[in-house]
Amino acid sequence: MTVATVESFTDNIETLMPILPLHHAELAIDPQEIPLEPKWDIYKARDAAGQILFITLRKRGELIGYFIGFILESLHNDLRLCVQDIFYVREEERRQGAGDILFSALKTEAKRRGVGRVMVACKTHLPAGPFFEAHGFSHIEQSYWMKL
């Protein structure tokens, strides 16, 4: 059985360690130039301030996915936002309902925390637009980056 649970980010850093490199290898744009080097001290500080929404996805107790988002007050209006940092579901668990479980928990917890909008994103080489739209998200923006 696959279960999504809101958990403490700080308490799960060690649990995340084995899965983060898999996530990075699949999604990173320039992994040789931009290695995986999480700023754990900043994550811990934001977690302590109640600014991280961390949802684990577990199957028989094993971590198979997660959503990490930042809870922020909009500087433009009275909206409380949840802005995705990263989310991941192990490849072998995709298209089997695991992502549905994760995003259902995201919606429930975001509402509980008074969030007015959740913002998510995906890489162009691994598009998730149809999945997002099936979960009620609207395509509102596109992002670009350049190397300096």
Side-chain angles (χ1 to χ4, degrees):
M1 178 179 205
T2 302
V3 178
T5 308
V6 177
E7 298 188 37
S8 160
F9 176 84
T10 302
D11 292 348
N12 279 281
I13 290 174
E14 293 299 318
T15 307
L16 278 169
M17 293 294 201
I19 197 171
L20 282 176
L22 301 173
H23 184 175
H24 187 257
E26 183 176 2
L27 294 177
I29 303 298
D30 294 320
Q32 293 78 23
E33 292 183 40
I34 308 171
L36 178 62
E37 297 174 337
K39 307 291 189 277
W40 298 120
D41 55 332
I42 296 173
Y43 274 104
K44 288 177 184 178
R46 288 188 181 185
D47 195 28
Q51 297 173 343
I52 290 187
L53 172 51
F54 179 61
I55 303 172
T56 60
L57 191 59
R58 297 180 188 272
K59 187 174 189 177
R60 290 182 226 98
E62 178 187 356
L63 185 67
I64 62 165
Y66 49 81
F67 177 92
I68 302 169
F70 298 115
I71 304 295
L72 307 169
E73 302 300 325
S74 173
L75 300 179
H76 302 275
N77 48 52
D78 289 337
L79 279 176
R80 175 174 263 200
L81 307 171
C82 178
V83 179
Q84 170 205 308
D85 176 32
I86 54 176
F87 82 96
Y88 183 71
V89 175
R90 285 185 186 243
E91 189 172 3
E92 63 273 14
E93 301 295 335
R94 296 176 195 161
R95 292 172 215 48
Q96 298 182 38
D100 297 330
I101 293 166
L102 181 63
F103 274 71
S104 177
L106 166 61
K107 187 175 182 178
T108 298
E109 182 62 13
K111 279 184 181 180
R112 189 188 75 74
R113 293 190 187 195
V115 168
R117 297 289 187 277
V118 176
M119 299 177 72
V120 295
C122 59
K123 299 288 194 270
T124 55
H125 69 277
L126 194 61
F131 173 82
F132 292 152
E133 290 173 5
H135 285 273
F137 290 87
S138 299
H139 184 194
I140 61 161
E141 188 169 76
Q142 292 186 25
S143 297
Y144 296 83
W145 76 342
M146 71 175 184
K147 181 179 172 182
L148 299 176

